[in-house]
């Protein structure tokens, strides 16, 4: 019985219930983020929504976070590649590997 009550409390903390007119909406959320938007950001978000970039504000923000993550990863890869490319030892190893692989070419 103790475990069942603990589980119920945990579920209650993750569930949001909204009652409007004759409809009950239950949303189970994995996480919530509250952001204060300045006027410029609010206007840009409204423009993206009006242009059909996403079905709603939440989707647009999620997509922006995903894009920012991709940009961050790509930037880090470019930085790491530049370090390797400018390292004489790494360049020599890459040239040796290329020469070794040349023997495996089919044509």
């Amino acid at each position: 019985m103790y475990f069942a009550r603990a589980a119920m409390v945990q579920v209650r903390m993750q569930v949001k219930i909204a009652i409007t007119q004759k409809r009950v909406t239950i949303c189970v959320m994995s996480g919530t983020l509250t952001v204060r938007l300045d006027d410029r950001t609010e206007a840009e978000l409204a423009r993206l929504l009006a242009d059909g970039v996403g079905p709603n504000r939440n989707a647009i923000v999620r997509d922006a976070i995903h894009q920012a993550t991709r940009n961050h990863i790509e930037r880090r890869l470019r930085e790491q590649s530049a370090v390797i490319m400018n390292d004489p030892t790494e360049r020599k190893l890459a040239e040796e590997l290329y020469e070794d692989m040349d023997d495996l070419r089919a044509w």
Side-chain angles (χ1 to χ4, degrees), residues 6-61:
M8 288 174 58
V9 170
Q10 184 178 9
V11 169
R12 284 188 194 143
M13 291 178 6
Q14 295 177 354
V15 174
K16 178 182 177 185
I17 300 174
I19 301 173
T20 56
Q21 295 178 359
K22 296 182 179 181
R23 183 171 54 188
V24 176
T25 305
I26 301 174
C27 300
V28 179
M29 297 186 268
S30 60
T32 302
L33 173 67
T34 302
V35 179
R36 291 189 179 134
L37 303 178
D38 57 17
D39 292 339
R40 175 183 167 195
T41 307
E42 182 68 40
E44 290 171 347
L45 184 56
R47 176 61 186 252
L48 292 170
L49 188 59
D51 288 349
V53 172
N56 56 49
R57 294 164 54 106
N58 291 332
I60 293 170
V61 171

Side-chain angles (χ1 to χ4, degrees), residues 74-98:
E74 289 172 3
R75 183 174 47 253
R76 285 186 59 200
L77 287 172
R78 281 192 301 274
E79 291 168 358
Q80 292 170 356
S81 297
V83 169
I84 291 170
M85 194 168 103
N86 294 323
D87 183 345
T89 305
E90 291 290 341
R91 287 187 63 88
K92 185 175 183 203
L93 288 171
E95 290 169 6
E96 290 172 2
L97 179 62
Y98 182 75

